[in-house]
Amino acid sequence: MQRLSPLLLVFIPMLGLAVGATFWWNALEAMARAAWTIATLPVLMALFVQIVTSLRRGDVGLDVVAALSMSAALAFGEPLAGNVVALMYAGGQLLESFAQGRARREMTALLGRVARTAMRFRGSMLEETPISSIVPGDRLLIREGEVLPVDGRVAGAFALLNLSALTGESVPQRIAIGGEVLSGATSTGAAFELIATRVAAESTYAGIVRLVEAAQRNKAPMVRLADRYAMGFLALTLAIAGAAWIGAQDPIRALAVLVVATPCPLILAVPVAIISGMSRAARIGVLVKSGGVLETLARIRTAILDKTGTLTHGRATINAIRTSNGFSEVEVLRLAASLDQASGHVVAAALIEAATGRGLALSAPSEIDETPGLGIAGTVEERRVVVGGEDMVQRSVGGTDLEDLLAGLAPAAMTVAVAVDGKVAGVIVLEDRVRDDAAAMLTALRQAGVRRIVLASGDKVEIARVVGEQIGADLTLGNLSPQDKIAVVEAEAAAGPVMMVGDGVNDAPALAAADVGVAMGARGTAASSEAAAVVVLVDELKPLAAAIVIAGRTRSIALQSVFVGLGLSLAAMIAAALGYLPPVQGALLQEAIDIAVILNALRALR
C-alpha cells in the first residue's frame, strides 16, 4: 500500500465497481466480472507487498484476512465481493491515515516552527546568523512575529510573548527585563533584546521537537498487545470460516466470514486513540514522550513530589546574610554566586540573580566538584569556596559548628552555608514560597486517581515537614540524597505504578527509576527533562492532573473501541457463517463498523 497512492488505491476499485455495474446493467456479465476482477488486483498486489514487508519485520496482522478474502472471492467466482472488499479495505486504510494525521496535528505543528536564523549584535551592528552558531551570552534582536530561537533573558525592554506553542495559553504574557524566556515562544509586541543562556541544540524548543519525533516513532504497549490479540482473532476467523465451509459444504459461506472480518478494529482503534491522547495532552502543555508512557500514566496510584521548583516556585529570595571570620555580606554573596554559576540548581540561580541585581561583578569558577543535592565546591579568584548544606560545609572546614550563625532562625528556615579557604564565611538565609495552588493541585491529583502523595525533598527535614503539612502530603521525607530518592521510588513501587515529579539534576536518577518520571521543563534542567518520560512545559502542576485524566480516558476509549468493535465483528462473522450475511453485504457492514471505531477513537482528542 505504501508504493501506490492511497487515493489511487481507493479510486481503482471505485472505478471498477462503476464500470462493472454499467456492463452488468447492459447484460454484459462476462465483461462486468472482468472489470471487477481487474479492479481488485492492484489492491491485492499492494496488500501482498505490505504483508511480505511486515513478515520480514516479524509482524503478522489481520491484513492477512483481507488478502485471503479478496483471493478467495476471485477464486470462488465472486469478483463483485472481491471488488467491494478491495474498495472497503483501501478506504479503511485511507480513513485511518486521515484520522492519525488529524490526531498528530497538535504535535506535528511543533516541528514546523523551528527558527533557522537569528539577528545577532556584533558591537553596534546586526548580522543574520544561523542559530547553530549562537552561544550563551550572545545578544539577539527579536522582532515582532519572530519565534524565539534559543532560551534566554529579556534585556533592553520588556517582551510580549505568545506562549501557545509551549503551554496552550493563547493570551500573550508580558515578561519584564531580566525575565527568563523559552525558545518556541512568539514575539507579539515591539522588538526586544534577548541574552542567550543556552545554545540552540540545548534549548527548550529543540528538546521538545526531539521528544515529539521520538514519540511519533514509538509503538505503545497497548498497540503491541492489540497485535497479539490480532493473531488470536485471525485464528478464530479462519476456524469459523473453515467450520462454515465444512458444515454447509459451501465455500461462499467461508468467503462471507473472511469478508466480514476485514479489516479489524484492533489495527485501527488503538493507535488512533493513543496518538489522539498524546496530542490532547500536548495541547495543554504536557508532552508525553510515548504511547507506552500515556498508558502507564493512566494507572498511576502513587505520586512522589520534589519540593524546590516543583511544589515551591523555585525562585528563592534572600532574607538575610549572616557572616563570620571577618567576611562581609557582599563578599560572601559575591563568592557564593560566582561559584554557583557552575550549578544548575534553582538556589544557585537565586544567588546569581541576587548578586547581579546588586551590581556585583562575578568571577569565573574553576576546578568544580558538585554533589547533586548537597552542594558545590570550586576555586574562585584562587580561593577555595564551598557552597551548600550545613553538613557538606562543616566537613569542608573540619567539623566547625555553625550553631552561632543559625541561632534564632526558625527550624524550617532555608539556609545555604558558605566556606572560604577552610573557614566558615557565612550563612545565606533564603525563602522559597509554596505555590498558591499547590494544595489545589494535590486535590486534583487525588481526583484523577492518585491515592498516595509523598513529598521527597533534599532539604532539611524541618523545611520539608512544613511544606508537607501545608499541601496535605501523606508522607514527608527530607534530607534525601539522589540515591535516597531512588530508594523511595523503589519502596513505593511495591504498591503500584509510581510517578516521580522533579526539576533538578538531583531528581534525574529518581525520574528515570520511576514508572513515569515527570520533569518541570519550563524551569527545570536539561538532565531532568531527558531522564523524564513526561515534560510539563508550563511553570505549574495543574496540567499534570489533567494529563492523568486524559490518559485514563484515552485508555478507556481505546479498549472500548477494541472490544465493542470485536464484538460486532464476531456477531457479523457468526451471521455470515450461518448464511444470513452474503459477502458483499458483509463487506459493507464491516466498513461501517470500522468507521464507527475510528470516530470513537478520535473522541480522545476532545
Side-chain angles (χ1 to χ4, degrees), residues 439-453:
M441 181 272 298
L442 263 66
T443 299
L445 285 178
R446 295 188 191 279
Q447 292 174 344
V450 176
R451 299 170 184 167
R452 179 173 169 83
I453 295 176

Side-chain angles (χ1 to χ4, degrees), residues 198-211:
R198 289 179 181 173
V199 298
E202 296 176 0
S203 290
T204 300
Y205 203 74
I208 292 171
V209 171
R210 287 195 297 271
L211 297 180

Side-chain angles (χ1 to χ4, degrees), residues 184-198:
T186 302
S187 175
T188 58
F192 67 95
E193 295 177 13
L194 176 73
I195 305 300
T197 55
R198 289 179 181 173

Side-chain angles (χ1 to χ4, degrees), residues 37-321:
T37 299
I38 293 171
T40 303
L41 289 175
V43 177
L44 183 58
M45 292 173 62
L47 184 53
F48 273 130
V49 172
Q50 181 173 307
I51 291 172
V52 171
T53 302
S54 298
L55 288 175
R56 288 175 177 173
R57 296 195 307 263
D59 296 335
V60 180
L62 291 176
D63 290 342
V64 174
V65 178
L68 286 175
S69 62
M70 281 185 266
S71 300
L74 298 181
F76 297 152
E78 292 283 345
L80 176 58
N83 197 159
V84 172
V85 171
L87 176 60
M88 296 300 102
Y89 184 78
Q93 296 293 299
L94 182 63
L95 179 59
E96 181 189 10
S97 177
F98 167 78
Q100 288 192 347
R102 182 177 185 275
R104 292 178 192 268
R105 188 180 305 158
E106 294 295 329
M107 298 177 74
T108 54
L110 293 169
L111 305 180
R113 292 175 45 86
V114 181
R116 305 298 179 189
T117 62
M119 300 302 295
R120 179 170 60 184
F121 283 95
R122 282 294 186 194
S124 60
M125 305 294 291
L126 280 171
E127 64 175 6
E128 186 171 8
T129 183
I131 65 169
S132 59
S133 67
I134 296 173
V135 297
D138 280 352
R139 182 179 292 266
L140 310 176
L141 178 66
I142 307 299
R143 297 167 293 193
E144 183 176 1
E146 288 186 338
V147 176
L148 273 61
V150 295
D151 297 350
R153 293 180 180 275
V154 176
F158 74 88
L160 192 64
L161 300 178
N162 183 334
L163 306 178
S164 59
L166 301 174
T167 67
E169 174 57 59
S170 59
V171 178
Q173 293 190 19
R174 178 188 172 111
I175 310 297
I177 296 175
E180 297 178 359
V181 289
L182 303 178
S183 56
T186 302
S187 175
T188 58
F192 67 95
E193 295 177 13
L194 176 73
I195 305 300
T197 55
R198 289 179 181 173
V199 298
E202 296 176 0
S203 290
T204 300
Y205 203 74
I208 292 171
V209 171
R210 287 195 297 271
L211 297 180
V212 170
E213 291 172 335
Q216 291 181 340
R217 292 191 301 265
N218 184 273
K219 192 173 186 180
M222 188 182 290
V223 176
R224 292 193 294 267
L225 181 64
D227 290 340
R228 292 198 294 271
Y229 283 155
M231 288 299 297
F233 193 78
L234 172 59
L236 179 63
T237 298
L238 296 177
I240 294 176
W245 188 344
I246 295 172
Q249 294 297 304
D250 183 2
I252 302 304
R253 294 275 187 97
L255 172 62
V257 172
L258 293 175
V259 165
V260 84
T262 310
C264 174
L266 278 171
I267 60 176
L268 300 175
V270 176
V272 170
I274 292 294
I275 294 172
S276 296
M278 292 170 65
S279 298
R280 183 69 185 90
R283 198 186 306 167
I284 63 170
V286 180
L287 187 63
V288 181
K289 290 187 179 181
S290 71
V293 171
L294 189 77
E295 292 179 43
T296 305
L297 193 62
R299 300 183 290 109
I300 290 297
R301 294 297 175 263
T302 300
I304 302 174
L305 308 175
D306 176 47
K307 182 184 74 69
T308 305
T310 301
L311 292 173
T312 64
H313 290 280
R315 302 169 187 166
T317 56
I318 295 178
N319 279 350
I321 301 177

Side-chain angles (χ1 to χ4, degrees), residues 248-503:
Q249 294 297 304
D250 183 2
I252 302 304
R253 294 275 187 97
L255 172 62
V257 172
L258 293 175
V259 165
V260 84
T262 310
C264 174
L266 278 171
I267 60 176
L268 300 175
V270 176
V272 170
I274 292 294
I275 294 172
S276 296
M278 292 170 65
S279 298
R280 183 69 185 90
R283 198 186 306 167
I284 63 170
V286 180
L287 187 63
V288 181
K289 290 187 179 181
S290 71
V293 171
L294 189 77
E295 292 179 43
T296 305
L297 193 62
R299 300 183 290 109
I300 290 297
R301 294 297 175 263
T302 300
I304 302 174
L305 308 175
D306 176 47
K307 182 184 74 69
T308 305
T310 301
L311 292 173
T312 64
H313 290 280
R315 302 169 187 166
T317 56
I318 295 178
N319 279 350
I321 301 177
R322 299 184 174 188
T323 64
S324 64
N325 293 317
F327 289 91
S328 67
E329 291 186 11
V330 170
E331 189 175 16
V332 169
L333 177 58
R334 186 178 64 80
L335 291 174
S338 294
L339 178 60
D340 268 341
Q341 291 177 104
S343 174
H345 197 277
V346 290
V347 172
L351 297 186
I352 296 169
E353 184 176 355
T356 54
R358 299 185 186 190
L360 303 181
L362 303 184
S363 301
S366 60
E367 301 176 13
I368 306 301
D369 181 16
E370 183 171 11
T371 304
L374 297 179
I376 185 172
T379 300
V380 178
E381 298 172 358
E382 299 184 356
R383 307 180 76 178
R384 190 62 180 171
V385 181
V386 180
V387 180
E390 298 167 24
D391 292 341
M392 180 172 177
V393 171
Q394 285 184 151
R395 286 196 301 270
S396 73
V397 296
T400 302
D401 198 352
L402 299 174
E403 185 176 347
D404 291 342
L405 288 175
L406 300 175
L409 294 177
M414 183 191 308
T415 59
V416 174
V418 182
V420 179
D421 292 334
K423 297 179 180 180
V424 175
V427 170
I428 301 174
V429 184
L430 301 153
E431 179 186 18
D432 185 11
R433 292 188 301 106
V434 175
R435 297 176 187 269
D436 295 335
D437 61 347
M441 181 272 298
L442 263 66
T443 299
L445 285 178
R446 295 188 191 279
Q447 292 174 344
V450 176
R451 299 170 184 167
R452 179 173 169 83
I453 295 176
V454 178
L455 172 58
S457 175
D459 285 332
K460 292 185 294 187
V461 174
E462 294 82 0
I463 297 177
R465 184 176 295 119
V466 170
V467 175
E469 291 174 355
Q470 284 184 254
I471 64 173
D474 297 304
L475 175 66
T476 300
L477 302 170
N479 202 29
L480 299 178
S481 67
Q483 291 74 22
D484 294 332
K485 290 186 178 182
I486 293 176
V488 172
V489 169
E490 293 174 345
E492 294 293 335
V498 173
M499 174 178 69
M500 172 71 194
V501 187
D503 76 320

